[in-house]
Amino acid sequence: MKKKRAGIFISLALMAALLAGCESVVAEARASGAEKQTADFMAEPEMAAKGQRPAEDAVVPNGKLIYIITPATEDIAVKVEADTAETEAKRLGYKTKAVSHDGDPAKQADLINAAITEGASAIILDSAEASTGTDAVKIAMGAGIPTFCIGREGSAQSAAVAHVVSNHDQGAKLVGECFAEAMGGKGEYAELTGAVSDANAVSRSDAYHEVLDPYAAMTMAAQESVSGGQQEAFEKTKIILQNHPNIKGIICGKDAMAIGAVTAIQAAGLEGKVIVAGYGGSDAARDQVITGNMICTCLEPFAECAKMAVQQADTYISTGVMESEEKQMIDCTLITPENAGKLSGMIVAE
């Protein structure tokens, strides 16, 4: 009987211990949950202040790195493409590293090597020069890093997985047609073009002439290469206007050239007598179009190209398959007084 009672006491003691343990576990769980709720509660005001909120469907970073290599982002077009690429890569769950080669092929090579050393999953590249782009891509691809080119259009077939660029031929033809119509299909005009080493500049100029040369009554009285931007365009336009007093229009390969030409025309007292067309779609050019100092510009789809390149890089990293063509040309948008008010930050509002 005593043994039986002792067994009962032992069983009751064990049950008490188990119950105490359960209560401890429950207490710890409750405390943990309370701490999490408190942490969430404390974090929410700070997130709200930043326009953020906890999201159940937020992308969890996959730990993979996408390198974004571009020219200097002081150029608004470059900033748009670099920012868009970085935003899209982060949205898809990647770590990013956005760096600039500043137009220096040697620095570009160093950055490619850095991407290789850091084990980048992909590179988004706006090359320093068309002639060096293929070499840079080959180095990265040879190290097993898929590379997706944007911005500068290469002068030769690239070794990249994809090359997503503006359709300069299509965009420049839109500008050429607008210019010819504003000229009334006759008269003398001048062209300010980029350096012959710039494949994009050559492509735009060739497209201009495909449109303009068939007009027998239109004559190109002068053609100048401008590599230094607005001030150089201003100086060269002054000389053109002095040497060719019958000039009726100036067609330019970049917006900065066009704005320099506008300034020279105003300084010469020829405002309203010489028309100007640009290319690029900058906000500064937009303002000149709105005021009537320029007849048009052309917006390159920098943001769209960058976003597409990152999305294709993500697909390629995940599947090893590239469904699109290596060379992809994205159409440009002509900017005239009719739609210039919708352009801001190199994006046209819907």
Side-chain angles (χ1 to χ4, degrees):
M1 188 68 176
K2 290 181 180 180
K3 289 182 180 180
K4 187 175 181 180
R5 288 178 179 175
I8 292 171
F9 289 145
I10 292 170
S11 298
L12 289 173
L14 287 171
M15 287 177 66
L18 286 170
L19 288 171
C22 288
E23 288 177 358
S24 176
V25 170
V26 170
E28 288 180 9
R30 286 175 176 169
S32 176
E35 285 178 5
K36 184 179 185 302
Q37 289 178 352
T38 302
D40 288 348
F41 177 79
M42 295 296 289
E44 283 178 8
E46 182 180 355
M47 295 177 75
K50 296 178 180 179
Q52 302 172 338
R53 64 181 180 82
E56 293 180 2
D57 59 347
V59 175
V60 178
N62 59 28
K64 295 179 180 178
L65 172 66
I66 288 183
Y67 243 76
I68 301 162
I69 305 175
T70 67
T73 53
E74 284 76 14
D75 183 327
I76 180 61
V78 176
K79 180 171 175 54
V80 167
E81 69 178 11
D83 287 352
T84 301
E86 189 165 19
T87 298
E88 184 65 7
K90 287 180 177 178
R91 186 188 73 81
L92 292 170
Y94 291 89
K95 295 178 181 178
T96 62
K97 190 160 188 177
V99 292
S100 172
H101 52 56
D102 298 321
D104 182 353
K107 186 175 180 181
Q108 175 175 270
D110 290 341
L111 293 172
I112 292 288
N113 287 327
I116 294 169
T117 300
E118 293 178 38
S121 299
I123 295 173
I124 307 298
L125 173 67
D126 185 346
S127 182
E129 290 180 348
S131 60
T132 63
T134 300
D135 292 338
V137 171
K138 284 181 177 177
I139 292 170
M141 295 286 284
I145 302 177
T147 302
F148 297 76
C149 292
I150 57 175
R152 187 181 296 276
E153 183 179 346
S155 57
Q157 184 72 7
S158 172
V161 175
H163 202 145
V164 188
V165 295
S166 304
N167 190 340
H168 294 283
D169 182 76
Q170 172 263 350
K173 284 178 179 175
L174 290 177
V175 173
E177 289 164 1
C178 181
F179 185 73
E181 183 178 347
M183 288 277 293
K186 60 183 179 180
E188 293 184 5
Y189 72 92
E191 180 186 7
L192 298 182
T193 185
V196 294
S197 61
D198 184 342
N200 289 350
V202 173
S203 176
R204 283 192 289 269
S205 181
D206 287 347
Y208 285 163
H209 286 281
E210 280 190 53
V211 173
L212 301 178
D213 290 353
Y215 286 88
M218 286 183 67
T219 304
M220 186 174 70
Q223 183 184 54
E224 292 288 342
S225 176
V226 177
S227 58
Q230 186 172 326
Q231 184 59 36
E232 183 183 351
F234 170 78
E235 299 294 340
K236 290 192 173 181
T237 301
K238 281 202 309 181
I239 296 171
I240 289 172
L241 295 174
Q242 291 167 3
N243 294 339
H244 303 278
N246 294 322
I247 288 285
K248 289 178 56 181
I250 301 175
I251 190 167
C252 306
K254 285 188 176 182
D255 282 341
M257 300 177 193
I259 294 170
V262 165
T263 307
I265 289 166
Q266 292 172 334
L270 297 173
E271 190 171 359
K273 296 180 180 179
V274 181
I275 64 170
V276 177
Y279 192 100
S282 69
D283 285 358
R286 170 207 62 197
D287 294 342
Q288 296 292 337
V289 171
I290 289 173
T291 58
N293 293 326
M294 288 172 56
I295 59 167
C296 67
T297 182
C298 187
L299 174 65
E300 293 185 57
F302 298 105
E304 185 179 355
C305 289
K307 187 174 183 178
M308 286 178 60
V310 171
Q311 290 172 345
Q312 291 176 18
D314 176 53
T315 299
Y316 190 83
I317 291 167
S318 301
T319 67
V321 176
M322 182 64 192
E323 297 178 351
S324 302
E325 295 288 333
E326 186 271 328
K327 188 72 169 285
Q328 301 165 51
M329 309 293 283
I330 312 304
D331 283 349
C332 303
T333 303
L334 185 69
I335 303 298
T336 65
E338 285 69 32
N339 64 350
K342 295 181 179 180
L343 175 64
S344 179
M346 308 202 83
I347 297 175
V348 176
E350 295 295 333

